[in-house]
């Protein structure tokens, strides 16, 4: 039994972390909410005035917002699709007996540790560049015209770069889940005459479903805030073709100095992230009880 | 049929897996190779794979032109500093939640996690303005503060899942022997907790090293870590593939090595204990 003494001590030990996070969450977030109701531009200081929901109206009727919202969904959805399917395939492959398994695992996981600005620049210049990139060389060698990926398919190119970075994460987690699969269950199903496909659909996939959900939710949280990859490859362009919500808010507030409009966009992004977070928290909460 | 020969199957799987592994790793390999080429060789057509004059010149030049090691040192200070500060705050909290659980513990943990889900753009403007007013823009102190706060929930959670696995009976026994709370922490718990703390430290340094939202938005030149420094190569006048590759190789090498040692912890830390 914990004594009163240790309970007091425990509270004392928890409080710095709680107070700091509380401050981190409440102070800036309430400032953002406050700013979002102001006509506030950094270029005209002292002219702030309360304008109600005008910023939200401006943001929600701006075509750029819908472009950014669509791009955000495409970016998150596209990367999820590639990493989940690729991750399941890779996890199944890496779970097989082979020579040099440890090394292959290391090769597959490596992209996750590359900082976003490096991977974006390496892909942009050394692979996707229409003159000197490897893809351009390959296209020329095969007799095709080089394709300018970031100019003509900017969002697709960013999806590929981000998917490359996150595929290792999905693979690693799905592989971990796969390795906890009860081998006796597999053996029993073999005796019962189940073939590989049936075993995958009825035993392996249900066993991994929890890990898949976790991967989807956690990646979504991170993918909603993709920023560096866009900043160093396309700057959100051409036009708004590769602008996501995060980048739009950044551009509105720190490039156009419209603090009010940017804040309204920030609050909209918070609301969207909260919808995802709600489901993630429920999953993790359930696990905590188990 | 040879198909039933286990060695034959293993060979096929091995070849296939190695091919895919090398394909995924290729961009990193290509960056490392290019860092040893001259600028002319780096853009040669057809591309040169191994048959070029290996040189270390890019590594020397990257530093001469841009004070590379200042940015490297910034990365070290910011990632290690924010991790140590985070551990200092999180270890007591995680300890208390794991060993003196109260009714509210679960809610507190979940709430801490929810702060991690706050998208950074939601607080970008206030943080930027506060930093401007307090003179924290482009300072290492400012970044240490922000990165400590954004990674604190992950640190608390990871430590909590590790501490949970330490058997409570040992603490009971120590208490029976008359150990006070603090001696309990220092002599009994800490030695058992060291592996968990070490893993948390490792993972958090990786996350902080690669963080590229706040480091890009809150630094300019002086305090810019490698994430922000490398981003400066996106400007057209900086388009030197061999130098970009050398700068990139140095930026990712330490973390790549640390990352390979912490694969298991990565799963645990980033899924908040939901997958082990």
């Amino acid at each position: 039994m914990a004594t009163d003494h240790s309970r007091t001590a425990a509270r004392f030990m928890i409080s710095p972390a709680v107070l700091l996070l509380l401050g981190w969450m409440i102070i800036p977030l309430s400032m953002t909410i406050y700013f979002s109701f102001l006509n506030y531009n950094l270029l005209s200081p002292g002219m702030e005035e309360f304008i109600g929901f005008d910023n939200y109206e401006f943001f929600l009727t701006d075509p750029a917002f819908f472009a950014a919202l669509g791009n955000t969904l495409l970016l998150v959805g596209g990367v999820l699709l590639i990493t989940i399917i690729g991750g399941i395939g890779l996890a199944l492959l890496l779970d097989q007996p082979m020579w040099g398994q440890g090394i292959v695992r290391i090769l597959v996981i490596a992209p996750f540790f590359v900082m976003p600005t490096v991977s974006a620049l390496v892909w942009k210049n050394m692979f996707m560049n229409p003159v000197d990139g490897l893809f351009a060389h390959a296209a020329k060698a095969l007799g095709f015209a080089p394709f300018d990926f970031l100019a003509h398919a900017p969002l697709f190119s960013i999806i590929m770069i981000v998917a490359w970075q996150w595929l290792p994460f999905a693979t690693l987690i799905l592989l971990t889940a796969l390795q906890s699969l009860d081998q006796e269950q597999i053996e029993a199903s073999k005796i019962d005459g189940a073939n590989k496909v049936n075993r995958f659909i009825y035993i392996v996939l249900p066993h991994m479903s929890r890990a898949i959900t976790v991967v989807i939710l956690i990646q979504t949280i991170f993918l909603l805030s993709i920023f560096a990859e866009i900043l160093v490859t396309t700057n959100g362009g051409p036009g708004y073709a590769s602008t996501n919500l995060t980048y739009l808010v950044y551009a509105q507030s720190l490039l156009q100095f419209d603090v009010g409009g940017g804040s309204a966009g920030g609050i909209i992004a918070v609301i969207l992230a909260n919808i995802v977070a709600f489901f993630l928290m429920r999953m993790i909460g359930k696990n905590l009880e188990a | 049929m040879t198909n039933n020969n286990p060695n034959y199957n293993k060979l096929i799987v091995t070849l296939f897996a190695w091919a895919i592994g090398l394909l995924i790793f290729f961009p990193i390999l290509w960056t490392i190779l290019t860092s040893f080429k001259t600028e002319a060789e780096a853009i040669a057509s057809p591309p040169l794979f191994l048959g070029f004059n290996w040189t270390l010149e890019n590594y020397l030049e990257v530093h001469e032109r841009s004070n590379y090691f200042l940015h490297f040192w910034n990365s070290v200070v910011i990632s290690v500093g924010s991790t140590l500060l985070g551990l200092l705050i999180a270890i007591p909290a995680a300890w208390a939640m794991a060993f003196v659980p109260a009714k509210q513990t679960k809610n507190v943990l979940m709430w801490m996690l929810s702060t991690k889900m706050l998208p950074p753009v939601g607080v970008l403007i206030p943080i930027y303005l506060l930093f401007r007013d307090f003179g924290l823009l482009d300072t290492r102190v400012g970044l240490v503060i922000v990165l400590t706060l954004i990674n604190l929930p992950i640190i608390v959670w990871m430590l909590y899942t590790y501490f949970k696995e330490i058997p409570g009976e040992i603490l009971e026994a120590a208490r029976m022997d008359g150990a006070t709370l603090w001696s309990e922490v220092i002599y009994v718990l800490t030695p058992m907790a060291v592996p968990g703390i070490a893993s948390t430290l490792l993972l958090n340094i990786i996350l902080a090293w690669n963080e590229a939202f706040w480091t890009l938005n809150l630094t300019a030149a002086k305090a810019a870590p490698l994430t922000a420094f490398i981003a400066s190569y996106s400007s057209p006048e900086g388009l030197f593939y061999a130098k970009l590759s050398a700068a990139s190789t140095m930026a990712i090498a330490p973390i790549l090595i640390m990352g390979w040692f912490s694969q298991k912890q990565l799963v645990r830390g980033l899924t908040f204990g939901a997958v082990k």
Side-chain angles (χ1 to χ4, degrees):
Chain A
M1 267 306 285
T3 60
D4 284 347
H5 172 72
S6 66
R7 279 210 193 291
T8 315
R11 253 182 236 127
F12 180 70
M13 289 160 90
I14 298 172
S15 49
V18 170
L19 291 177
L20 281 170
L21 283 174
L22 203 63
W24 167 246
M25 210 162 92
I26 288 180
I27 297 168
L29 199 57
S30 42
M31 282 170 80
T32 307
I33 294 173
Y34 173 65
F35 291 155
S36 72
F37 293 113
L38 295 183
N39 178 10
Y40 181 0
N41 194 299
L42 284 180
L43 294 181
S44 43
M47 306 278 283
E48 298 89 33
E49 53 173 346
F50 185 81
I51 53 166
F53 283 91
D54 281 10
N55 283 322
Y56 289 92
E57 202 183 316
F58 162 76
F59 222 86
L60 291 171
T61 53
D62 186 2
F65 170 74
F66 291 98
L69 189 64
N71 288 338
T72 306
L73 295 178
L74 276 174
L75 181 59
V76 174
V79 173
L80 281 179
L81 198 71
I82 297 170
T83 53
I84 297 289
I85 293 174
I88 292 175
L90 275 171
L92 288 172
L93 181 65
L94 290 178
D95 199 34
Q96 309 286 321
M98 69 176 82
W99 288 291
Q101 192 170 28
I103 300 172
V104 175
R105 217 175 122 123
I106 281 174
L107 294 178
V108 170
I109 289 163
F112 190 73
F113 301 114
V114 177
M115 55 177 65
T117 43
V118 165
S119 61
L121 277 181
V122 163
W123 278 100
K124 176 192 178 184
N125 292 317
M126 287 155 59
F127 287 86
M128 293 174 172
N129 184 295
V131 181
D132 302 317
L134 267 191
F135 291 156
H137 287 310
K140 273 182 272 182
L142 294 170
F144 296 107
F147 183 73
D148 191 347
F149 287 89
L150 287 161
H152 297 123
L155 191 62
F156 171 80
S157 305
I158 290 171
I159 290 174
M160 296 320 273
I161 296 171
V162 176
W164 178 74
Q165 290 177 283
W166 283 92
L167 182 60
F169 174 79
T171 305
L172 198 56
I173 286 173
L174 296 175
L175 183 61
T176 308
L178 199 57
Q179 282 168 345
S180 68
L181 183 61
D182 188 4
Q183 281 309 315
E184 281 175 22
Q185 211 183 347
I186 294 281
E187 291 306 319
S189 73
K190 275 184 192 164
I191 294 166
D192 289 344
N195 63 20
K196 273 192 173 158
V197 176
N198 278 331
R199 279 209 299 276
F200 177 71
I201 294 174
Y202 295 107
I203 299 177
V204 176
L205 215 47
H207 175 79
M208 289 210 287
S209 65
R210 180 187 164 73
I212 293 173
T213 318
V214 171
V215 171
I216 292 177
L217 294 169
I218 289 172
Q219 281 199 24
T220 306
I221 296 287
F222 283 94
L223 296 175
L224 280 173
S225 297
I226 289 290
F227 172 75
E229 291 84 344
I230 297 175
L231 179 78
V232 299
T233 52
T234 63
N235 273 312
Y240 289 104
S242 58
T243 296
N244 68 353
L245 263 181
T246 300
Y247 195 84
L248 185 67
V249 173
Y250 156 80
Q252 191 76 24
S253 41
L254 295 189
L255 298 183
Q256 299 181 29
F257 307 107
D258 176 9
V259 169
S263 296
I267 294 302
I268 295 170
V270 169
I271 293 168
L272 287 177
N274 274 343
I275 297 171
V276 180
F278 174 75
F279 291 103
L280 178 57
M281 302 295 284
R282 273 183 34 168
M283 277 217 52
I284 295 172
K286 262 186 207 145
N287 190 54
L288 208 59
E289 277 156 9
Chain B
M1 282 290 282
T2 45
N3 210 1
N4 291 325
N5 180 345
N7 267 339
Y8 176 82
N9 272 343
K10 198 172 168 181
L11 182 68
I12 298 293
V13 169
T14 302
L15 288 177
F16 192 57
W18 274 85
I20 293 203
L22 286 171
L23 193 70
I24 290 174
F25 188 72
F26 184 73
I28 298 172
L29 181 68
W30 188 243
T31 308
I32 297 171
L33 285 179
T34 306
S35 73
F36 293 109
K37 296 176 182 173
T38 63
E39 291 298 346
E41 286 165 338
I43 54 168
S45 175
L48 302 164
F49 281 87
L50 292 169
F52 55 85
N53 301 309
W54 293 65
T55 171
L56 285 170
E57 165 193 356
N58 300 308
Y59 286 90
L60 300 171
E61 245 177 79
V62 159
H63 178 61
E64 272 166 24
R65 285 155 47 108
S66 57
N67 203 0
Y68 183 88
F69 291 105
L70 168 75
H71 302 296
F72 192 90
W73 182 241
N74 285 342
S75 275
V76 172
V77 170
I78 291 164
S79 57
V80 175
S82 69
T83 301
L84 292 181
L85 187 60
L87 283 174
L88 198 69
I89 302 163
I91 289 173
W95 184 90
M97 289 195 273
F99 295 113
V100 196
K103 265 187 221 138
Q104 290 306 315
T105 300
K106 194 192 148 190
N107 292 337
V108 172
L109 267 171
M110 294 304 283
W111 168 77
M112 281 188 174
L113 191 55
S114 73
T115 65
K116 183 70 199 160
M117 319 219 163
L118 183 71
V121 279
V123 293
L124 170 64
I125 299 163
I127 296 295
Y128 185 87
L129 295 177
L130 288 171
F131 266 50
R132 188 195 61 183
D133 296 345
F134 285 98
L136 287 170
L137 280 179
D138 203 19
T139 63
R140 294 194 291 233
V141 175
L143 275 186
V144 167
I145 295 172
V146 166
L147 292 194
T148 300
L149 288 168
I150 63 165
N151 287 328
L152 193 57
I154 292 188
I155 303 183
V156 172
W157 261 88
M158 257 185 101
L159 289 174
Y160 174 78
T161 62
Y162 278 113
F163 288 176
K164 263 296 200 202
E165 285 168 13
I166 297 174
E169 294 81 30
I170 289 183
L171 293 180
E172 301 285 326
R175 251 172 247 163
M176 291 290 202
D177 293 344
T180 62
L181 189 67
W182 287 108
S183 58
E184 203 178 283
V185 172
I186 294 163
Y187 297 109
V188 185
L189 211 71
T190 310
M192 295 192 69
V194 162
I197 295 174
S199 320
T200 310
L201 178 110
L202 212 59
L203 176 71
N204 202 69
I205 289 178
I206 296 172
L207 290 178
W209 185 278
N210 287 343
E211 202 284 331
F213 181 81
W214 294 109
T215 52
L216 287 173
N217 277 310
L218 297 178
T219 63
K222 207 162 42 76
L226 289 169
T227 44
F229 167 68
I230 302 277
S232 71
Y233 274 80
S234 66
S235 55
E237 68 267 30
L239 273 189
F240 298 105
Y241 290 6
K243 280 175 206 68
L244 167 67
S245 299
S248 300
T249 304
M250 284 191 282
I252 62 178
I255 284 316
L256 215 50
I257 294 163
M258 282 174 79
W260 285 334
F261 284 111
S262 61
Q263 298 172 31
K264 277 255 151 56
Q265 290 77 6
L266 183 85
V267 173
R268 190 174 177 140
L270 286 178
T271 60
F272 308 104
V275 175
K276 275 183 204 163

